[in-house]
Amino acid sequence: MLTQLYPFLDPSHITAGLIDRLRALADDAAHLQRTRSVSPSLLQTAPLLEYWIPVHRLQGVRLVGQVEDRMIITSPLWFADPDGTWIRTLSRFYRLGPPANPGEASLISSLTIEPHDTRDDHEPEGNA
């Protein structure tokens, strides 16, 4: 019954890639709990997400924003730096640049963005 309303809950959607991402997320969570920090070298290689806004989707809170020259919607957010310098999604870390200004934010939030329209860099097709 729930899987009819929320198809992503169906265990048939579990893939090896999802399991790997969940393991990496758990490892990062353990590191964050111990150290309360992210290594500078890891953040140096993380994509810079700019002009972003949070959006609420069935799977959780995501950010829509610009990485290099393309718009993306991240995978669901799991952790965020209280100082606003990084986030950890299901798939990866991102460095946070400036959020969208109010005009950009209202334009972005008025768009109908589906997960298949644009992908998190490490999110394989079909696992949004």
Side-chain angles (χ1 to χ4, degrees):
M1 178 162 161
L2 281 173
T3 57
Q4 291 173 339
L5 294 171
Y6 309 104
F8 65 91
L9 293 175
D10 188 328
S12 69
H13 292 268
I14 298 171
T15 63
L18 176 61
I19 293 166
D20 291 343
R21 289 190 294 161
L22 290 169
R23 281 193 179 115
L25 177 65
D27 290 344
D28 287 341
H31 178 80
L32 286 168
Q33 182 186 37
R34 279 191 316 274
T35 66
R36 303 280 189 244
S37 66
V38 178
S39 83
S41 61
L42 188 144
L43 287 179
Q44 275 185 328
T45 60
L48 176 63
L49 183 64
E50 300 179 290
Y51 317 116
W52 51 269
I53 65 164
V55 293
H56 298 255
R57 295 291 181 257
L58 291 175
Q59 298 90 345
V61 176
R62 296 173 176 228
L63 295 183
V64 174
Q66 185 174 330
V67 172
E68 295 177 4
D69 61 348
R70 66 187 185 108
M71 292 297 291
I72 69 157
I73 184 168
T74 68
S75 56
L77 274 62
W78 281 86
F79 308 108
D81 175 28
D83 294 327
T85 61
W86 57 262
I87 58 165
R88 175 57 159 96
T89 69
L90 173 61
S91 299
R92 64 180 313 144
F93 281 95
Y94 285 91
R95 291 176 292 136
L96 287 180
N101 67 42
E104 293 166 330
S106 64
L107 174 64
I108 293 169
S109 64
S110 70
L111 299 173
T112 302
I113 300 172
E114 296 298 327
H116 63 272
D117 291 337
T118 183
R119 295 229 174 270
D120 186 343
D121 288 348
H122 283 251
E123 193 165 349
E125 290 290 319
N127 288 340

